[in-house]
Amino acid sequence: MNNAAPTRGRMRLYIGSGKTELFLLLVLGLLFLTFGYFSDVFFTVFNLMNLLRQTAIYGIVAIGMVFVIISSGIDLSVGSVVGFSGMITAMALVAGLPFFVAILLAIVLSAGIGLINGILVYDGKVPPFIATLGAMAVVRAVIMLVTNARMISGLPRAFIDISQATLFGVPLLAVAWIVLTIIAYFVIRKTVFGRSVFAYGSNKEAARLSGINVRRTIYGVYIYSAVMCAIAGILLTSRLSSATPTAGSGYELDAIAAAVVGGASLSGGEGSILGAFLGAIIMSTLRQGGTLLGLNAFVMEIIIGALIVVAVLLDQLRRKQGGTK
């Protein structure tokens, strides 16, 4: 009987996520029409390309966050890992290391941070909020210490051009985001690991009793999140043409917002990669549209914060009505 609980949770996800994604598409369409009506430049090619480039960075971070949230965890260290990855990449490139080596080094070291988070959560029994909050502070302090709170510039022109390159007219940053989204969709829906993440997030005890390797699952979600952050950090460094000590600050809020607005439940067991993809675009569209209309940036942050609260509130109400915890 217990073994059926994770399956029921996954079925609710698969049946309900399509409705969520359709609703998000309608909201996104409404936002586009509204901002396009009130702003003459919203639908220009330059603005739309810029929107894609801006969204791609934290959209990639949101992919990893979805995995963590589905497992009933949270990762507050994502912004710091983005900055850490950018710092490692920049230092390696300035030192004369080849692109491949610099990028691989940044990804491997960032994955190590994810592994530490997983060890703290599973082996140390530290609540995910506290474990990743500590990692956020420590990693950011390491960045400041190593760089002496100064940016690292002088990066190769070829590396900087990555952020401005296009493929069939689409920014390369957006292409990378789309490809990573497709891969994540396949992983979460078609692999044993993905099913284990849903099962553990739906019912931890039932997942253990059904023979799921909980240690590997917990390690996996935090490593996956860190790797996504590493890729985002590399692309952000290219876009900024330098590695700044504060790069990635606040990305944890953007990633959580994209995941939650996209249908992920902070209680675990539910989430959608496509929903997070659409949620990220909605968040970015709100910010950019507000800027074009001359709205106060702080007002936009209030609106985005309220959206997160409303999304969580609706999820809790739905769970109560459905008789789920």
Side-chain angles (χ1 to χ4, degrees):
M1 183 176 181
N2 282 340
N3 292 347
T7 303
R8 288 197 299 269
R10 290 196 299 273
M11 290 306 296
R12 284 198 307 273
L13 169 80
Y14 297 155
I15 294 172
S17 63
K19 295 180 180 178
T20 299
E21 291 149 7
L22 178 59
F23 174 74
L24 292 174
L25 280 172
L26 293 174
V27 170
L28 184 60
L30 180 61
L31 287 176
F32 267 62
L33 290 175
T34 301
F35 291 131
Y37 178 80
F38 288 104
S39 173
D40 295 333
V41 300
F42 183 80
F43 280 119
T44 60
V45 174
F46 175 80
N47 184 67
L48 293 177
M49 293 301 99
N50 192 43
L51 176 65
L52 286 174
R53 289 189 177 96
Q54 287 179 346
T55 312
I57 304 298
Y58 71 81
I60 293 174
V61 177
I63 293 174
M65 185 65 77
V66 171
F67 277 77
V68 177
I69 291 178
I70 291 174
S71 73
S72 72
I74 198 74
D75 190 354
L76 299 180
S77 68
V78 293
S80 294
V81 177
V82 168
F84 176 81
S85 171
M87 178 196 71
I88 295 298
T89 303
M91 291 177 66
L93 290 175
V94 170
L97 294 179
F99 276 23
F100 175 76
V101 176
I103 291 173
L104 182 61
L105 182 63
I107 292 176
V108 170
L109 291 179
S110 297
I113 297 174
L115 176 60
I116 292 173
N117 283 337
I119 291 173
L120 289 173
V121 172
Y122 179 79
D123 298 290
K125 308 302 180 186
V126 180
F129 182 91
I130 300 300
T132 57
L133 179 64
M136 176 182 72
V138 170
V139 174
R140 185 64 68 182
V142 168
I143 296 172
M144 295 295 182
L145 183 63
V146 172
T147 63
N148 199 24
R150 296 178 181 178
M151 71 171 58
I152 301 174
S153 55
L155 304 182
R157 186 70 229 179
F159 176 75
I160 296 175
D161 288 342
I162 292 175
S163 62
Q164 298 302 319
T166 60
L167 183 64
F168 303 113
V170 180
L172 193 57
L173 297 184
V175 173
W177 176 31
I178 293 170
V179 170
L180 290 171
T181 297
I182 294 172
I183 293 173
Y185 181 86
F186 174 81
V187 171
I188 204 71
R189 296 288 293 270
K190 302 297 182 180
T191 67
V192 174
F193 172 67
R195 291 192 291 271
S196 297
V197 173
F198 275 118
Y200 181 77
S202 298
N203 190 319
K204 295 180 175 60
E205 188 58 30
R208 289 191 180 94
L209 294 175
S210 64
I212 287 175
N213 190 323
V214 177
R215 180 196 297 271
R216 185 170 59 189
T217 301
I218 297 301
Y219 286 7
V221 294
Y222 286 101
I223 292 175
Y224 199 102
S225 177
V227 170
M228 291 299 102
C229 291
I231 296 173
I234 293 167
L235 297 177
L236 179 62
T237 301
S238 172
R239 191 163 194 266
L240 297 176
S241 304
S242 62
T244 60
T246 58
S249 296
Y251 274 36
E252 52 279 345
L253 176 61
D254 288 331
I256 293 172
V260 171
V261 170
S265 171
L266 292 177
S267 298
E270 296 186 27
S272 167
I273 297 298
L274 179 56
F277 182 89
L278 295 172
I281 300 178
I282 288 173
M283 296 295 102
S284 188
T285 301
L286 278 171
R287 283 200 176 96
Q288 190 176 71
T291 300
L292 292 176
L293 297 182
L295 299 179
N296 189 299
F298 297 116
V299 172
M300 295 309 302
E301 293 304 318
I302 291 173
I303 293 174
I304 292 174
L307 277 177
I308 299 173
V309 174
V310 170
V312 174
L313 179 61
L314 290 176
D315 175 65
Q316 292 300 316
L317 292 175
R318 179 180 59 80
R319 282 174 170 266
K320 286 182 179 181
Q321 291 175 354
T324 59
K325 63 177 181 179

